[in-house]
Amino acid sequence: TYKEPFSSKKDRKIAISLFLCLDMASSSNVLSKEQFLCSICLDVFTEPVSIQCGHNFCMACIRKYWDSNDLCQCPMCTNTFDKRPVLFVNAFISEMATHSPDQCPAKPGEVSCDVCTETKLKAMKSCLVCLTSYCETHLEPHQRVTALRRHKLINPVENLEDRICKTHERLLELFCRNDQMCVCVLCIKTDHETHHTAKVQQQIQEKLQKVQEIKHSVELRKRNSEGEISDSAQVFTVLMRSIEKNQAELIEVIEKKQEAAERQAEGLIKELEQETTELKRRSTELEQLSHTEDDLNLLQSFPSLCSPPLTKDSDLCVGTVRRAVSQLEETVMSEMKRLFDDELKSIQQYAVDVILDPDTASPWLILSKNGKEVRTGEKKHKLPDNPKRFDSAVNVLGKKGFSSGRFYYEVTVTGKTEWNLGVARESINRKGTVTLSPDNGRWAVILRDGSKYIACAPTRVHLYLREKPQKVGVFVDYEEGQVSFYDVEARSHIYSFTGYTFTEKLYPYFSPLLNDGGKNSTPLIISPVNHTD
């Protein structure tokens, strides 16, 4: 009868393992590894056969050996046979080889046998009494020995000692949701009696299901992103084709107008040259007339002096040329407007809802309740000190920043004599004097003195606009490093910053500037984008 003379679980586990090893060593049905190896290929038997001398080989090995030799003999004892023996598979050895320990090594992720000393085999069961996992061979005593048959066997589990309740020595197969810990069936009858418990396997399934949901969400997001990229690529491909087509049409129109203007100019030049030649001839005749007294004879000799020269009205010529140039300019401007109109329609699809961030607003600024308007007040307000807030410059940023993709918004500037608009990176200096430049993290276009439009590039660019913008559109392509400004009402392009590399979030940037005695008191208004067809 098996007794447990050891106090600790570790000693008990060692004793059980030794017991099993001794029991199996004495058992006649446990064979050594070498007894299952073919002496020719030195591997576990495949279709093992026995020949007359009693030695065993793989069928393919012994046939190949005999085919390569003149004599039919045993490779082990060199016994010679007059006639090649008929080979039959040895069913007993084949069955034993199939159950050889080397045939079922534990794979990664599988529980391995704790008793195997060389190749660790896949465990078939774990014993809650022995705290040991066994392969099919080493499990045999638990199915045969009376004392061991009373042990509690479960499906194989790794780190079995950590899965046993320290108090009741039972499997931690339940999970207490109240205390967020694993418990055994006896624990829920004592300390966790009123708690909400669930099977650990249920917890595992719930976690696995959550993992699957997250993976599905990631995969769905990936597919959506790929779809957005594909759609964007298609949109920009269509846009580029439209631009190329419009550009070709514009060039063709300009060339035709240019050819017509050149032909008209050539005709005018030819006529003027003819008139000049006629005038020179008359001048020569008059000079000759001045050297003679016989006017009548001279006039008869030079009849061209009797009629006035046929000259075109010079004002008419100049007016014709100006009209031709004006028509050419109108055609060019019409084509350019159509081109930029198509471009603006394409980028308006990236419109975002911009809300002003009161935590960034200067104490001088007054924001509307809906966060869509900003103007400069008459006095400085007392606001909480915030590292995000502009303390001196009358600036404010949008609440949401963008670190990828494209975005677009529109701002009504009607009635303003001065303003700043654009985008700014997250790390800009918000205290003290603010310098508008991409080098300082700001990409902006500004209005000064009611009519001076300036792009705040590293070297400032003065912009000469045909019309005064009433609504300004701002478009950002993060990956392309581009910030563009548009006159929304005139459907025309104002200016673009290009070739930059953005490395942090970009925020919409606004400054209504000072009131200037009421001349500039009108607010900047973030307007809804009108998606035209």
Side-chain angles (χ1 to χ4, degrees), residues 337-479:
K337 183 176 181 180
R338 184 161 67 91
L339 181 64
F340 286 119
D341 184 56
D342 291 341
E343 181 180 350
L344 191 57
K345 288 178 182 177
S346 297
I347 66 176
Q348 281 179 330
Q349 67 176 312
Y350 298 104
V352 295
D353 185 19
V354 176
I355 304 293
L356 299 174
D357 185 0
D359 290 339
T360 66
S362 163
W364 289 95
L365 295 180
I366 299 174
L367 274 60
S368 63
K369 291 183 179 180
N370 64 357
K372 294 291 186 178
E373 299 182 17
V374 57
R375 61 185 177 88
T376 305
E378 297 295 337
K379 62 179 181 179
K380 187 176 182 180
H381 302 280
K382 291 183 179 180
L383 298 174
D385 186 19
N386 189 323
K388 295 168 59 177
R389 189 182 309 283
F390 293 93
D391 62 350
S392 299
V394 284
N395 296 341
V396 62
L397 301 180
K399 277 188 177 183
K400 182 180 179 181
F402 301 86
S403 57
S404 64
R406 306 175 182 89
F407 65 94
Y408 172 81
Y409 62 94
E410 295 177 353
V411 183
T412 298
V413 296
T414 304
K416 302 286 294 176
T417 58
E418 293 188 337
W419 47 257
N420 300 345
L421 288 176
V423 294
R425 67 185 178 211
E426 188 172 24
S427 64
I428 57 171
N429 177 32
R430 308 185 188 203
K431 310 301 179 184
T433 304
V434 174
T435 303
L436 292 176
S437 170
D439 295 339
N440 294 318
R442 295 169 177 84
W443 291 262
V445 167
I446 65 176
L447 169 64
R448 296 291 184 269
D449 300 330
S451 60
K452 296 178 182 178
Y453 295 92
I454 302 170
C456 297
T459 301
R460 297 207 165 189
V461 179
H462 290 267
L463 307 173
Y464 301 96
L465 308 181
R466 294 173 63 88
E467 301 178 29
K468 184 175 182 178
Q470 303 301 309
K471 186 182 291 185
V472 177
V474 182
F475 172 68
V476 177
D477 189 328
Y478 194 95
E479 280 71 23

Side-chain angles (χ1 to χ4, degrees), residues 478-491:
Y478 194 95
E479 280 71 23
E480 291 295 326
Q482 174 184 335
V483 181
S484 297
F485 298 82
Y486 296 87
D487 183 339
V488 179
E489 302 296 337
R491 317 301 288 178

Side-chain angles (χ1 to χ4, degrees), residues 240-252:
M240 288 303 297
R241 288 175 180 172
S242 176
I243 291 174
E244 290 172 357
K245 180 181 178 182
N246 291 335
Q247 185 180 23
E249 292 176 355
L250 177 61
I251 292 173
E252 183 179 357

Side-chain angles (χ1 to χ4, degrees), residues 91 164 528:
I164 299 299

Side-chain angles (χ1 to χ4, degrees), residues 286-299:
L286 287 171
E287 185 178 356
Q288 292 178 5
L289 179 63
S290 66
H291 295 294
T292 179
E293 296 178 356
D294 190 355
D295 294 342
L296 180 60
N297 294 332
L298 186 60
L299 286 173

